[in-house]
Amino acid sequence: MRVAGLIRVVVFIFTIVTMWVFLRSYTNFSRKTIRLPRWLGITSKDIQTPKSKCGLSKICPNNFFAFKISSGAANVVGPSMCFEDEIIMSPVRNNVGRGLNIALVNGSTGQVMKKDSFDMYSGDPQLLMNFLTEIPDGTLVLVASYDDPGTKMNDKIKMLFSSLGSSYAKQLGFRDSWVFVGANDLKSRSPYEQFLKNNPETNKYDGWPELLELEGCVPRKVM
């Protein structure tokens, strides 16, 4: 009986020790970093997760441009535009103004061609009409409102923006918020547009609706 009892004790101790060794080995393994073989010539530091442009939530596919546009917030914070990871218009760059802020980008190369702001409260609307009628073929048009984009908006300007693919230009009025990406040779309505009406009952700010953000991947115009 004593021998049998001794055998049971030995078996029990052996089982406990075996389990302890296994658990310790497994824990140590799970804490280790798996490294690639040195003969591959690549270290773990060389492997990096691709970064999206303009802070987008996804990476744009080939032959697409990344963009992100924010309208102004009331008459306090100006709008901003990012295109292919470059801030092309913003308060920091000191190149935005009250009204409509517009950037023209080559639809094939992604090169920024021109950018300007147009005072739509007390400015001359003819300046904006001239700007829009001179847009070259194959050009992307990025637009962001700030403060008041609609007081000097006439039917001619609304028609020009509509021809660029806008669905809301004809509704644009006093202190509305608007962000838009269109093209001068677009044959349908642009899917890149947001609009918010100035409404005292729903405005986020005192006298203005909240700012709008628009981001996405716009297809490159392949020549």
Side-chain angles (χ1 to χ4, degrees):
M1 293 295 293
R2 291 182 179 179
V3 175
L6 182 60
I7 292 175
R8 290 192 186 96
V9 172
V10 171
V11 171
F12 176 77
I13 294 174
F14 177 80
T15 302
I16 295 298
V17 172
T18 302
M19 290 180 63
W20 179 79
V21 171
F22 173 79
L23 290 174
R24 182 174 181 180
S25 299
Y26 177 80
T27 302
N28 289 339
F29 175 77
S30 64
R31 291 178 180 176
K32 290 181 179 179
T33 301
I34 299 177
R35 303 182 182 275
L36 295 174
R38 292 183 178 180
W39 55 266
L40 286 177
I42 303 175
T43 64
S44 58
K45 295 182 179 179
D46 296 328
I47 303 175
Q48 299 179 355
T49 303
K51 178 185 176 183
S52 63
K53 297 177 180 179
C54 294
L56 268 62
S57 57
K58 64 178 181 179
I59 298 175
C60 293
N62 293 332
N63 290 324
F64 280 77
F65 295 122
F67 73 89
K68 188 172 187 177
I69 305 174
S70 298
S71 69
N75 62 346
V76 179
V77 181
S80 63
M81 293 185 188
C82 177
F83 191 84
E84 282 293 279
D85 223 21
E86 178 187 356
I87 302 298
I88 57 177
M89 297 189 78
S90 73
V92 175
R93 284 185 168 271
N94 196 31
N95 61 354
V96 295
R98 177 176 65 178
L100 291 175
N101 297 267
I102 305 176
L104 303 183
V105 178
N106 187 299
S108 298
T109 65
Q111 180 180 1
V112 178
M113 303 161 53
K114 199 172 183 180
K115 47 199 172 185
D116 209 341
S117 60
F118 301 89
D119 188 343
M120 300 302 290
Y121 180 76
S122 59
D124 183 1
Q126 186 63 45
L127 297 176
L128 178 55
M129 284 191 283
N130 294 341
F131 183 90
L132 296 176
T133 53
E134 296 172 0
I135 296 176
D137 292 338
T139 301
L140 294 173
V141 183
L142 287 67
V143 184
S145 66
Y146 178 33
D147 188 5
D148 175 25
T151 295
K152 289 294 186 76
M153 181 74 70
N154 56 39
D155 291 339
K156 175 66 174 178
I157 297 175
K158 292 178 180 180
M159 184 184 70
L160 289 170
F161 277 121
S162 296
S163 68
L164 296 173
S166 173
S167 299
Y168 296 104
K170 293 181 179 179
Q171 305 177 39
L172 200 62
F174 177 65
R175 288 185 176 177
D176 293 342
S177 289
W178 184 43
V179 284
F180 168 64
V181 176
N184 65 340
D185 52 358
L186 203 61
K187 295 180 174 59
S188 59
R189 294 301 179 192
S190 171
Y192 312 107
E193 185 174 25
Q194 289 190 24
F195 171 75
L196 197 57
K197 198 70 179 172
N198 172 23
N199 186 335
E201 296 182 359
T202 58
N203 284 346
K204 181 174 183 179
Y205 312 113
D206 185 17
W208 288 268
E210 65 179 316
L211 68 84
L212 294 174
E213 289 189 343
L214 181 68
E215 65 176 53
C217 304
V218 62
R220 181 192 301 266
K221 181 178 176 61
V222 181
M223 303 300 290

